[in-house]
Amino acid sequence: MTGYASAQHGSSAEAGEASSRNVRLGLEIRSVNSRFLDLTFRLPDELRAQEPALRTLLTARLKRGKVEVRAAIDQDASASLPQPSPALLQRMVSLQDQVQAWLPDAKGLSVADALRLCGQGQSSAVDWSEIAPALAEQAVGELIAAREREGKRLAQMLLDRTKQLRTLAGQAGPLVPQLVEQQRQRFLERWQEAMGLTEGQVTPEAAQDRALSEATAFAIRIDVAEEITRLSSHLDEVDRLIKKGGEIGKRLDFLIQEMHREANTLGSKSAALELTRISVDMKVLIEQMREQVQNIE
């Protein structure tokens, strides 16, 4: 199923003995349709170590879908530059003097170098091992809620299609006896014409028996009662599964295949344009259901 969720966390990481800067973690989870679970992570270097925990969490909560997890670490622009403590600056000067004592040609530290070194100390002060999984748990919960809302819409669509299929099946049933009766009359007319050509060599009883025999064979050949009964049974099971809920995607997929087979057979037995139209309309509705069933867990 498709779905989107995001979560943010604001943290404060202290630098040395002085002030702190605000660090924010933003996490997004996107899910699109897929028959299997396919996880993709796009994480900054600071969160690479958290990928196994995030993968375990998603695998436990999700069953199907192409899921992409994106995370970004951001820092407030107003506090983007660290404020080094006097003790830290004194330590840098002492180390610089020691290096230049051995390497007289070495350049001294610039302001940018000092700020960068102080910033490295700050970035390592945030422990993401608890923050990232908790944030992911929140985002996954929102994603599941979004997918459940979509699932309700899909369920309503599927129930609407099953209702239309029942209507078509109800239209197909009465057509068969009408076709058989029409064909029986045609056979009788043809045999009566044949009797006229044979000048009484065939008795009326024999002609009528032959016509009825042909009509019976025709009725057996075009009878779709069995297909309609099986189709109705599949529709009942689809309705039951949708109302029950849970992990029903694969079972619905199997039922859709069986329904398509019955609609095909009904079309192959068609002896009238009306039955052909009903078969085509059924297959269109079933194909619409198949496309959406692929998105259901």
Side-chain angles (χ1 to χ4, degrees), residues 10-160:
S11 178
S12 178
E14 298 209 358
E17 300 175 358
S19 64
S20 64
R21 65 174 182 174
N22 292 325
V23 178
R24 291 193 303 270
L25 170 61
L27 189 142
E28 295 181 348
I29 303 180
R30 303 171 185 265
S31 173
V32 296
N33 307 330
S34 178
R35 295 185 62 184
F36 307 99
L37 181 61
D38 181 13
L39 301 178
T40 302
F41 293 89
R42 302 184 183 279
L43 306 175
D45 293 338
E46 294 88 341
L47 297 179
R48 286 296 176 188
Q50 309 306 319
E51 181 175 331
L54 297 178
R55 184 177 295 273
T56 300
L57 171 64
L58 292 172
T59 303
R61 300 290 301 276
L62 305 176
K63 302 301 180 184
R64 298 176 68 179
K66 184 176 178 59
V67 181
E68 181 182 27
V69 180
R70 290 177 176 267
I73 297 176
D74 191 20
Q75 175 185 341
D76 284 344
S78 60
S80 59
L81 295 179
Q83 184 174 353
S85 65
L88 182 59
L89 292 174
Q90 185 176 4
R91 178 61 176 165
M92 286 188 197
V93 172
S94 176
L95 291 174
Q96 176 180 261
D97 293 341
Q98 293 180 28
V99 172
Q100 289 180 336
W102 287 91
L103 302 172
D105 295 334
K107 295 182 179 179
L109 288 172
S110 65
V111 174
D113 293 334
L115 293 176
R116 184 177 64 255
L117 292 173
C118 294
Q120 291 177 356
Q122 285 184 333
S123 62
S124 62
V126 180
D127 182 11
W128 300 112
S129 60
E130 295 183 1
I131 297 174
L135 199 63
E137 182 72 37
Q138 176 186 344
V140 170
E142 295 179 3
L143 177 68
I144 292 176
R147 291 172 64 156
E148 288 177 350
R149 290 192 294 271
E150 184 191 13
K152 291 180 180 178
R153 292 191 293 269
L154 291 179
Q156 186 59 45
M157 186 279 290
L158 293 175
L159 291 174
D160 178 67

Side-chain angles (χ1 to χ4, degrees), residues 63-254:
K63 302 301 180 184
R64 298 176 68 179
K66 184 176 178 59
V67 181
E68 181 182 27
V69 180
R70 290 177 176 267
I73 297 176
D74 191 20
Q75 175 185 341
D76 284 344
S78 60
S80 59
L81 295 179
Q83 184 174 353
S85 65
L88 182 59
L89 292 174
Q90 185 176 4
R91 178 61 176 165
M92 286 188 197
V93 172
S94 176
L95 291 174
Q96 176 180 261
D97 293 341
Q98 293 180 28
V99 172
Q100 289 180 336
W102 287 91
L103 302 172
D105 295 334
K107 295 182 179 179
L109 288 172
S110 65
V111 174
D113 293 334
L115 293 176
R116 184 177 64 255
L117 292 173
C118 294
Q120 291 177 356
Q122 285 184 333
S123 62
S124 62
V126 180
D127 182 11
W128 300 112
S129 60
E130 295 183 1
I131 297 174
L135 199 63
E137 182 72 37
Q138 176 186 344
V140 170
E142 295 179 3
L143 177 68
I144 292 176
R147 291 172 64 156
E148 288 177 350
R149 290 192 294 271
E150 184 191 13
K152 291 180 180 178
R153 292 191 293 269
L154 291 179
Q156 186 59 45
M157 186 279 290
L158 293 175
L159 291 174
D160 178 67
R161 297 300 185 275
T162 59
K163 182 179 179 181
Q164 295 181 49
L165 286 169
R166 291 182 193 279
T167 300
L168 291 173
Q171 295 173 2
L175 290 177
V176 174
Q178 298 175 14
L179 293 172
V180 172
E181 179 60 25
Q182 293 173 5
Q183 194 64 24
R184 188 180 72 84
Q185 292 296 330
R186 291 195 190 100
F187 285 143
L188 286 174
E189 292 172 0
R190 291 176 184 175
W191 277 103
Q192 289 173 357
E193 292 175 0
M195 286 174 58
L197 295 175
T198 58
E199 298 180 351
Q201 296 180 8
V202 180
T203 64
E205 292 78 7
Q208 186 174 7
D209 290 344
R210 184 59 184 271
L212 292 175
S213 176
E214 293 289 345
T216 301
F218 174 77
I220 295 173
R221 190 166 61 252
I222 70 168
D223 184 24
V224 295
E226 185 178 353
E227 286 74 18
I228 292 176
T229 299
R230 285 198 295 263
L231 179 62
S232 298
S233 176
H234 296 329
L235 290 172
D236 290 341
E237 183 64 11
V238 169
D239 289 348
R240 187 189 71 82
L241 289 174
I242 292 174
K243 293 175 182 178
K244 174 186 175 182
E247 297 179 12
I248 61 174
K250 293 183 179 180
R251 299 169 74 179
L252 286 177
D253 191 35
F254 171 76

